[in-house]
Amino acid sequence: METMTIDDVELKEKRVLVRVDFNVPMTEHGTIADDKRIVESLPTIRKILDSGGIAILMSHLGRPKGGPSAEFSLKPVAKHLGTLLSSTVHFAHDCVGEGTRKLVASLKPGDVLLLENLRFHAEEEKNDPAFAKELASYGDVYVNDAFGTAHRAHASTEGITKFIKPCVAGYLMKKEIEYLTQAVGNPKRPYVAIVGGAKISGKIDVIQNLLPKVDVLVIGGGMAFTFFRAQDVEVGDSLVEVEKIPLAKKLLEEIKASRRRVILPVDCVIADKFDNNAQRRVVPVTKIPVGWRALDIGPETAQLIRLETKNAKTIVWNGPMGVFEMSNFANGTLEVAKILAEATRNGATTIVGGGDSAAAVAQMGFEAQISHVSTGGGASLEFLEGKQLPGLAALDKK
Ligand code: AMP
């Protein structure tokens, strides 16, 4: 990786300011619903502590509007992190200000401090230079390990790098970038990309960026039906973005010209309403009756994907194959998760983009059987679209 990492800098007795992504889902009772992002940041924190440094951690949580609120406090995260590290994690009740400055000054090597939610200050998202400078003043070294926010140019991810040196990537950021770079840059072949999700508009840039690179492109999920409409196939009440039909037509032409193998569903699970308890049937995609809608891929399509990925050496997957949130329409997504797990066992590198597909893989219990499940929804999507991530671009190069 051309970006400098935590392995390239001296950490001993340094105050190491780490932008982590502790934006974890919380239950209505204020407990952590899924601690994956906290767990994934442990290697970086442990490295700092084992090297005799001080770890000063900062993050956002949720989308607080208009200042501090208990609902979005990182305090429960500090407590949970202390349990995971089996040591005390100090907590600063504000991410800036006199009290925090004093707390930072009192820290000794081996100490860990978590600052309160950065987004309690509007300056964070505005990338305010004075705010970034104050944050920067807490550290001797800046580490960005928050892959999930790397696509945002905020004070703690981008602005800060103008006021502190060196600026390097943590281990989670490094892992994310290495896997995703392999997917968009130098994949082992055959290379299969599986793209799903609700809408074509959300995935168009991913399809266009990956199309010239893949050997096989699989298109599933709701967006497949806009492609069918673009070929004048009737799809009943299935999800169609009417205004994107011309775009889907253009993409189909690009696909044809690219001579890549592109797989669209051949069968689907249809329902008479958008409800888990709706009546349902499996039909060919060309036989969706009026008043019915496709909410999942069918078994033949899953089998086709299995065949197409049999010898794959790299598989990237972004977007569920159906409405996996409803158990009766989760099977296609489950099958793809199983296919990736099988491919991983057979030696392929398998990568799941963050967001809904990562949630589905976690919900179905397949996370440990896949090479890499990204912690960043928007960030992994933008990386797969070929865009530069400001939080990564701002770090020092080797
Ligand atoms: P995205 O954020 O674009 O990856 O879309 C994820 C969403 O797509 C999930 O909430 C799924 O329920 C939804 N989805 C997948 N397939 C379908 C479908 N056939 N019809 C409607 N929604 C779908």
Side-chain angles (χ1 to χ4, degrees):
M1 181 159 108
E2 60 164 8
T3 305
M4 277 177 70
T5 75
I6 193 162
D7 285 328
D8 301 316
V9 288
E10 179 62 66
L11 302 170
K12 191 165 190 246
E13 290 175 15
K14 302 282 188 208
R15 291 175 304 152
V16 187
L17 184 59
V18 192
R19 177 48 159 109
V20 283
D21 181 5
F22 287 169
N23 182 29
V24 289
M26 305 291 287
T27 67
E28 58 191 38
H29 310 295
T31 55
I32 297 161
D34 176 3
D35 68 353
K36 174 175 162 75
R37 285 176 163 174
I38 307 174
V39 170
E40 293 266 7
S41 73
L42 293 176
T44 293
I45 299 169
R46 289 209 174 102
K47 164 76 179 173
I48 296 165
L49 303 181
D50 293 349
S51 307
I54 301 163
I56 303 163
L57 314 176
M58 53 182 178
S59 177
H60 76 284
L61 175 66
R63 296 174 190 271
K65 289 280 167 265
S69 72
E71 187 192 346
F72 295 110
S73 174
L74 279 165
K75 202 162 179 207
V77 175
K79 190 160 171 258
H80 187 65
L81 179 62
T83 308
L84 292 173
L85 289 170
S86 306
S87 74
T88 305
V89 170
H90 303 279
F91 185 68
H93 294 276
D94 194 353
C95 62
V96 286
E98 191 52 34
T100 302
R101 234 188 325 275
K102 282 191 184 146
L103 199 50
V104 168
S106 72
L107 298 171
K108 299 191 179 44
D111 283 348
V112 183
L113 170 69
L114 175 62
L115 308 183
E116 183 55 288
N117 196 340
L118 293 158
R119 291 196 189 165
F120 285 170
H121 293 265
E123 291 89 340
E124 161 66 356
E125 288 180 86
K126 287 187 185 147
N127 200 358
D128 178 80
F131 182 75
K133 194 173 177 185
E134 184 162 356
L135 293 174
S137 72
Y138 302 148
D140 305 309
V141 175
Y142 170 75
V143 177
N144 192 343
D145 213 20
F147 176 73
T149 27
H151 59 314
R152 304 274 181 236
H154 290 168
S156 67
T157 60
E158 198 269 344
I160 194 165
T161 61
K162 300 186 176 88
F163 303 104
I164 180 170
K165 286 278 168 261
C167 298
V168 302
Y171 290 131
L172 174 58
M173 180 73 91
K174 178 172 183 260
K175 186 168 103 178
E176 293 271 11
I177 299 302
E178 283 178 349
Y179 271 107
L180 291 166
T181 301
Q182 188 182 343
V184 294
N186 189 22
K188 284 206 186 111
R189 293 184 182 280
Y191 173 27
V192 182
I194 304 172
V195 183
K199 291 183 174 176
I200 200 172
S201 46
K203 300 287 158 69
I204 173 85
D205 291 342
V206 175
I207 294 177
Q208 273 173 328
N209 190 40
L210 295 185
L211 186 60
K213 298 166 182 158
V214 297
D215 298 298
V216 181
L217 174 67
V218 177
I219 297 177
M223 70 167 157
F225 298 94
T226 303
F227 282 103
F228 287 126
R229 281 298 298 121
Q231 297 170 86
D232 294 324
V233 175
E234 289 305 328
V235 297
D237 289 352
S238 304
L239 189 68
V240 172
E241 287 173 277
V242 176
E243 70 289 357
K244 299 289 173 203
I245 291 175
L247 179 68
K249 278 193 177 142
K250 192 172 150 269
L251 259 181
L252 285 169
E253 279 160 23
E254 278 176 37
I255 285 168
K256 214 167 154 194
S258 75
R259 296 177 181 226
R260 307 285 163 189
R261 284 182 59 71
V262 174
I263 310 296
L264 278 161
V266 288
D267 62 344
C268 52
V269 183
I270 56 169
D272 62 350
K273 53 184 181 221
F274 192 82
D275 189 317
N276 195 37
N277 298 319
Q279 281 195 64
R280 53 183 201 281
R281 285 193 227 148
V282 174
V283 294
V285 285
T286 49
K287 298 263 159 43
I288 304 174
V290 175
W292 289 68
R293 69 203 65 208
L295 295 182
D296 197 8
I297 57 170
E300 260 188 59
T301 307
Q303 195 50 29
L304 196 58
I305 299 173
R306 183 167 268 112
L307 278 176
E308 289 291 341
T309 48
K310 204 162 182 272
N311 301 313
K313 287 279 174 289
T314 309
I315 307 177
V316 172
W317 176 26
N318 193 300
M321 295 291 103
V323 185
F324 75 97
E325 298 92 335
M326 296 199 259
S327 58
N328 286 331
F329 306 102
N331 205 48
T333 302
L334 175 64
E335 283 302 309
V336 170
K338 282 186 191 163
I339 288 168
L340 261 72
E342 281 160 27
T344 316
R345 279 195 292 280
N346 291 334
T349 300
T350 52
I351 302 161
V352 177
D356 274 321
S357 19
V361 164
Q363 183 186 308
M364 291 164 178
F366 280 90
E367 227 171 6
Q369 299 176 51
I370 285 164
S371 312
H372 181 67
V373 180
S374 178
T375 55
S380 66
L381 195 65
E382 290 197 19
F383 201 95
L384 294 175
E385 287 170 355
K387 292 192 183 131
Q388 218 187 33
L389 307 182
L392 176 68
L395 300 178
D396 298 341
K397 306 283 177 295
K398 279 185 186 158

